[in-house]
Amino acid sequence: MKRKYFGTDGIRGQSNIFPMTPDLAMRVGIAVGTIFRNGAHRHRVVIGKDTRLSGYMLENAMVAGFTAAGLDVFLLGPIPTPGVAMLTRSLRADIGVMISASHNPFRDNGIKLFGPDGYKLSDGIEEKIEELLEQDMSSQLAKPEDIGRAKRVDGDIYRYIEQAKRTLPRDVTLQGLRIAIDCANGAAYKVAPSALWELGAEVVTIGTEPNGVNINLECGSTHPAALQKKVHEVRADIGIALDGDADRVLIVDETGKVIDGDQLMAVIADSWAADGMLQGGGIAATVMSNLGLERYLQARGLKLHRTKVGDRYVVEQMRQDGLNVGGEQSGHIVLSDFGTTGDGLVAALQILAVVKRQGKSVSEVCQRFEPVPQVLKNVRVSAGKPLEHDAVRQAIADAEAELARSGRLLIRPSGTEPLIRVMAEGDDRGKVERIVDELVNVIGSVRSAA
């Protein structure tokens, strides 16, 4: 089934432009409420959001949809995505909603949906939602006496703070560490600094003054330069960069170097394997993860299970193969012992635990392997299917033959933006750069001619 609304991570688009309109948000509430309205109990949904201006609009529209379908709504306010997943289970809700476009600029917004088990919905359920969205759902509306109620429960964010704190091993405190944290002016601006301070750290914050339009603006995990500067300025031991909804994290070491998700997964996999905690004999990561990570794990007798791009596919692979560590190079780290989705704060706490236990600097702890040269470039597309063009197919085949055993090539449409991503990696950086440039030019010329 061709999807009209759902991408790799829920529904996403520019606010007040289809599909990210209040009308569709209300209809999503009715459709989802209809599907999960099973049994005789009083049904409930929890809704969290990040700090985007459009969050107010979409939140109210979804409340209208869910209450019209007969569900009671608990409004959490700004809270990280993993907090929504956790509270969906903790409050025994039938559905969880996160209103966020993650690392995108404030003009975008999105709707992420979680089932009662706290996991993101399957492709099959998303297809059912899409089918309902195309239908007249007036017959699904609740009777007047069965319309749902809504209430705000801002205090429940402290349940998430306590859960995150409990993931730090009991023999570890953060006393003696100076931590700079960039919350991207997003959903974690309250919870992350509070958790770190309560665990004993000296905390220096940036990106904690959201105004509705500055989320991810030259800050956070997609723009770490501000944090690198702050780490140098205050001589921090570590910098933690979250994104707008705090489901991903990057680390800045004491020298100002950025540590990506591949290195973080290697640290956690090593640590958990040594402690007997690592399950399944490996980890799950997407096709975007560096070849260096795969070689590093192989040298330690561990396997890298590769998946499609998107943390939901990482989670599916983890559940299928009995793994408890997975993630993406971008910093989505999923630790299923502690949660059902990517959690930037919890992942950072696992890194901090290794730093404290080993008594080493962050740069010593987190540089586990030398990444294979990897080049990623984007080609913006507005229409057409350039990847189906004969010239593009031939160029891809030639590039794959040239890389052969010395590297990898990955070309895919973005699931969240109108882009085609061209990525290659291999031991010869010059060759990799040339191959990517040639492919970008071919795709660009086909796009221009379309």
Side-chain angles (χ1 to χ4, degrees), residues 330-409:
S330 60
H332 278 115
I333 310 292
V334 183
L335 305 172
S336 60
D337 286 5
F338 305 132
T340 56
T341 190
D343 192 322
L345 175 58
V346 168
L349 289 175
Q350 301 310 301
I351 301 301
L352 288 165
V354 178
V355 169
K356 287 290 286 186
R357 280 175 163 174
Q358 295 188 0
K360 297 179 179 179
S361 67
V362 175
S363 58
E364 292 175 294
V365 166
C366 290
Q367 190 60 47
R368 294 299 171 111
F369 62 89
E370 190 64 35
V372 171
Q374 186 181 81
V375 178
L376 170 65
K377 292 190 177 181
N378 298 321
V379 184
R380 186 163 292 274
V381 294
S382 55
K385 298 180 179 179
L387 295 184
E388 297 181 7
H389 195 281
D390 288 343
V392 174
R393 287 178 171 176
Q394 185 59 54
I396 292 173
D398 292 344
E400 288 176 334
E402 187 173 357
L403 282 172
R405 297 189 183 91
S406 65
R408 292 191 309 132
L409 178 68

Side-chain angles (χ1 to χ4, degrees), residues 99-166:
I99 300 171
S100 174
S102 191
H103 58 282
N104 286 24
F106 91 95
R107 290 181 179 82
D108 295 337
N109 216 328
I111 299 171
K112 303 181 184 184
L113 299 167
F114 297 90
D117 57 1
Y119 287 98
K120 291 181 180 177
L121 301 185
S122 66
D123 289 341
I125 294 178
E126 288 184 350
E127 288 170 6
K128 289 181 181 178
I129 296 169
E130 294 231 354
E131 289 174 7
L132 281 175
L133 290 174
E134 296 296 299
Q135 300 172 12
D136 178 1
M137 292 185 288
S138 57
S139 63
Q140 303 293 343
L141 300 180
K143 297 175 183 178
E145 62 271 22
D146 294 328
I147 292 172
R149 302 173 184 270
K151 66 177 181 178
R152 193 163 292 279
V153 286
D154 294 316
D156 276 16
I157 65 172
Y158 298 106
R159 292 199 197 192
Y160 169 70
I161 291 176
E162 288 305 315
Q163 187 218 33
K165 286 165 56 181
R166 284 196 296 270

Side-chain angles (χ1 to χ4, degrees), residues 44 61 72 81 83 94 133 152 202 219 242 273 296-297 332 344 364 373 410 416 435:
R44 53 174 59 177
D72 293 333
T81 289
D94 298 271
L133 290 174
R152 193 163 292 279
E202 177 187 348
C219 60
L242 304 173
Y296 176 83
L297 294 172
H332 278 115
E364 292 175 294
L410 178 67
T416 58
I435 286 173

